[in-house]
Amino acid sequence: MYVKALCFILLFVVAGTVTYASPLSYTSRASSNDTIAAELEKMKNFTTLLTLANISNLTSTLENASLSVTLFAPTNDGISSTLKAANISESAVVKNSTLVKMILEYHIVPQPLKTSSFSTVNSFKTLEGSNITVTKNNTGIFVNGFEIIKKNVKADKSIIQVIDGLLIPPGIVV
Ligand SMILES: *[C@@H]1O[C@H](CO)[C@@H](O)[C@H](O)[C@H]1NC(C)=O
Ligand SMILES: *[C@@H]1O[C@H](CO)[C@@H](O)[C@H](O)[C@H]1NC(C)=O
Ligand SMILES: *[C@@H]1O[C@H](CO)[C@@H](O)[C@H](O)[C@H]1NC(C)=O
Ligand SMILES: *[C@@H]1O[C@H](CO)[C@@H](O)[C@H](O)[C@H]1NC(C)=O
Ligand SMILES: *[C@@H]1O[C@H](CO)[C@@H](O)[C@H](O)[C@H]1NC(C)=O
Ligand SMILES: *[C@@H]1O[C@H](CO)[C@@H](O)[C@H](O)[C@H]1NC(C)=O
Ligand SMILES: *[C@@H]1O[C@H](CO)[C@@H](O)[C@H](O)[C@H]1NC(C)=O
Ligand SMILES: *[C@@H]1O[C@H](CO)[C@@H](O)[C@H](O)[C@H]1NC(C)=O
Ligand SMILES: *[C@@H]1O[C@H](CO)[C@@H](O)[C@H](O)[C@H]1NC(C)=O
């Protein structure tokens, strides 16, 4: 109990958000334009994702201009609605940085993917190790059922596909 409370307090300190009510508030930081992190900052609506990246030490990955990946980027609203639907509290997620890292790595495929390359059903191995499924129909393109709502955002050698929900790797217990 004491250890859990301490971890929680430490996370607030690490994220630099001592005075906010939400455990997922975000402070903007300078990074060069065109990196994934910079594009996410410019597009807005990705402060939760950027905070999760910070918690799990993935910020430097998202700032790495040499990287050539696809990030399926959930919006703030997408993350909160997924957690709400699964009855998972934000604080339960953020206090386990290993868990946050697994979840975020499940959003990254180690090759740049444009939507034009997708067929009706596609399977891609993520950095987390499990596959995501991308499907295409008359309505749109979906990643594990969540729609790609903004397509093919370039970030250096990488591509961002914006999705409206958080992808939870199979077998993860929160
Ligand atoms: C990320 O975490 C570092 C400490 O590890 C902190 O200095 C920085 O402000 C945080 N950045 C954001 C955007 O939360
Ligand atoms: C990134 O580009 C925006 C405008 O496109 C500009 O306002 C901002 O200062 C740039 N940031 C950096 C770190 O170069
Ligand atoms: C982005 O944020 C703005 C204001 O915070 C909101 O009105 C808009 O619906 C959001 N868009 C998405 C795609 O989440
Ligand atoms: C950036 O990504 C490249 C390509 O994956 C990798 O070789 C390099 O070590 C990374 N740099 C950092 C600082 O992580
Ligand atoms: C959500 O979780 C809380 C706490 O674990 C529990 O009390 C509540 O019944 C759950 N609600 C649903 C809809 O599962
Ligand atoms: C992130 O880095 C901090 C400090 O180096 C470390 O204590 C923590 O375990 C790391 N978290 C992950 C998920 O790698
Ligand atoms: C953190 O999450 C990972 C992955 O779900 C799990 O294996 C680990 O036991 C969790 N750690 C704590 C302290 O709950
Ligand atoms: C995972 O996706 C890769 C392609 O990236 C494919 O070769 C492999 O068969 C898939 N695995 C499963 C279990 O679907
Ligand atoms: C397209 O796929 C999505 C996600 O699986 C589904 O919700 C939607 O109903 C499908 N649309 C059609 C026209 O089949």
Side-chain angles (χ1 to χ4, degrees):
M1 188 61 207
Y2 172 74
V3 172
K4 273 192 175 168
L6 183 62
C7 289
F8 196 60
I9 291 162
L10 280 174
L11 274 170
F12 273 81
V13 175
V14 166
T17 57
V18 184
T19 54
Y20 292 90
S22 163
L24 289 175
S25 45
Y26 172 77
T27 321
S28 179
R29 57 181 256 161
S31 70
S32 77
N33 272 327
D34 300 325
T35 65
I36 292 177
E39 290 303 319
L40 292 175
E41 285 206 22
K42 268 195 284 189
M43 286 193 283
K44 317 286 182 201
N45 293 2
F46 297 97
T47 51
T48 305
L49 176 60
L50 286 164
T51 304
L52 293 176
N54 192 304
I55 288 169
S56 56
N57 299 339
L58 285 173
T59 301
S60 61
T61 301
L62 300 185
E63 287 175 345
N64 185 345
S66 312
L67 215 64
S68 190
V69 302
T70 303
L71 171 69
F72 292 94
T75 60
N76 292 347
D77 289 352
I79 292 175
S80 58
S81 66
T82 304
L83 294 180
K84 225 172 265 162
N87 199 18
I88 299 169
S89 74
E90 288 182 355
S91 54
V93 174
V94 301
K95 70 184 168 193
N96 186 338
S97 63
T98 308
L99 172 69
V100 173
K101 187 171 189 180
M102 290 169 80
I103 292 175
L104 290 198
E105 286 184 340
Y106 190 55
H107 290 73
I108 301 173
V109 170
Q111 81 216 63
L113 300 167
K114 288 202 177 133
T115 50
S116 57
S117 71
F118 296 142
S119 42
T120 312
V121 181
N122 320 256
S123 193
F124 298 107
K125 191 165 182 175
T126 66
L127 291 189
E128 187 268 339
S130 309
N131 282 17
I132 51 169
T133 303
V134 178
T135 55
K136 189 166 76 173
N137 63 22
N138 291 338
T139 315
I141 302 174
F142 301 83
V143 185
N144 289 6
F146 294 116
E147 186 162 13
I148 297 181
I149 54 176
K150 193 174 163 86
K151 295 173 187 151
N152 306 322
V153 179
K154 278 199 57 172
D156 291 313
K157 300 189 191 69
S158 293
I159 294 179
I160 300 168
Q161 306 288 0
V162 176
I163 52 175
D164 65 358
L166 185 69
L167 308 173
I168 310 278
I172 285 287
V173 181
V174 182

